Amino acid sequence: MEKIYEDLHRILDEERLLDILNLSYSVMDNNYRALSAQASSMPNVHVYQELLDYCHEQVVQYIRNYDHLMNILCQPTNIQPVYFSIVESDAFKSLCTEEFKGFPRIIAMAMLAGTEAAVANCTLQVLEDQDESIVRYLDELVDTYQGYLLDALAYGKGEKKSVFFTDNNL
């Protein structure tokens, strides 16, 4: 695994990272618009929209940093501290009234996991011509982050799922 991490650091120059970032922004924007459209039909649309806006802003700020992109690609368990930095903020807590219970946390989990899955998938697209071990690793990484996303969504539907993220696929 160390060799793959070293190879990723070597081949992901600033130009490729910018390509990954731009592709990721496009996916994130599409996901954000889809979630906003769904929120528009909810009874408390203004609260959900504020929550979506805040979470979207936080994950955009997070991935804007190239070191954070590399963390996403080389540390699949990095999601937990980022998640807690979002949900423990005063701004987030102001949106989490008792009336909405854990739903805002589920939105934060889903947005973050979805963003990290998008970053991993966009990296896979950019590096699809690389060594097979790197491509296989990135494919498994996409599965890991998509698993986090599916767990967050299942948890939101009331299923017994872990809200802690571990890299079970890698």
Side-chain angles (χ1 to χ4, degrees):
M1 200 61 72
E2 281 299 314
K3 173 145 179 31
I4 289 175
Y5 298 154
E6 289 171 11
D7 288 347
L8 285 173
H9 281 282
R10 180 180 45 77
I11 60 179
L12 288 174
D13 57 17
E14 198 167 316
E15 183 179 330
R16 281 190 169 144
L17 286 171
L18 184 59
D19 289 345
I20 292 165
L21 194 57
N22 287 331
L23 287 170
S24 298
Y25 283 155
S26 177
V27 171
M28 289 172 60
D29 187 52
N30 288 336
N31 291 342
Y32 171 76
R33 281 188 274 130
L35 288 170
S36 290
Q38 286 182 328
S40 69
S41 66
M42 298 176 119
N44 295 299
V45 63
H46 67 284
V47 173
Y48 295 119
Q49 192 59 54
E50 280 182 62
L51 180 62
L52 288 171
D53 292 347
Y54 178 75
C55 290
H56 181 72
E57 175 187 313
Q58 294 304 303
V59 294
V60 166
Q61 285 180 14
Y62 173 66
I63 70 164
R64 187 176 288 150
N65 179 307
Y66 289 158
D67 289 336
H68 293 163
L69 282 178
M70 291 307 297
N71 285 342
I72 291 169
L73 298 173
C74 297
Q75 299 174 15
T77 56
N78 78 311
I79 194 169
Q80 195 169 356
V82 177
Y83 166 76
F84 284 118
S85 74
I86 292 171
V87 300
E88 295 300 322
S89 70
D90 290 338
F92 186 87
K93 287 178 182 178
S94 73
L95 297 170
C96 295
T97 62
E98 183 58 33
E99 171 185 0
F100 297 104
K101 302 202 186 302
F103 189 67
R105 288 178 173 265
I106 294 162
I107 290 175
M109 283 190 290
M111 287 192 79
L112 181 58
T115 295
E116 293 198 340
V119 167
N121 192 49
C122 292
T123 304
L124 181 59
Q125 291 173 33
V126 169
L127 299 181
E128 66 187 355
D129 63 340
Q130 293 297 315
D131 182 81
E132 185 179 323
S133 63
I134 291 174
V135 171
R136 190 171 44 252
Y137 167 78
L138 289 170
D139 192 44
E140 291 172 0
L141 188 63
V142 170
D143 290 345
T144 295
Y145 286 129
Q146 286 177 340
Y148 296 164
L149 175 59
L150 293 174
D151 283 353
L153 296 174
Y155 183 80
K157 292 177 182 176
E159 295 177 26
K160 297 258 183 203
K161 290 289 182 177
S162 172
V163 293
F164 295 101
F165 306 102
T166 59
D167 58 339
N168 292 332
N169 290 331
L170 296 175

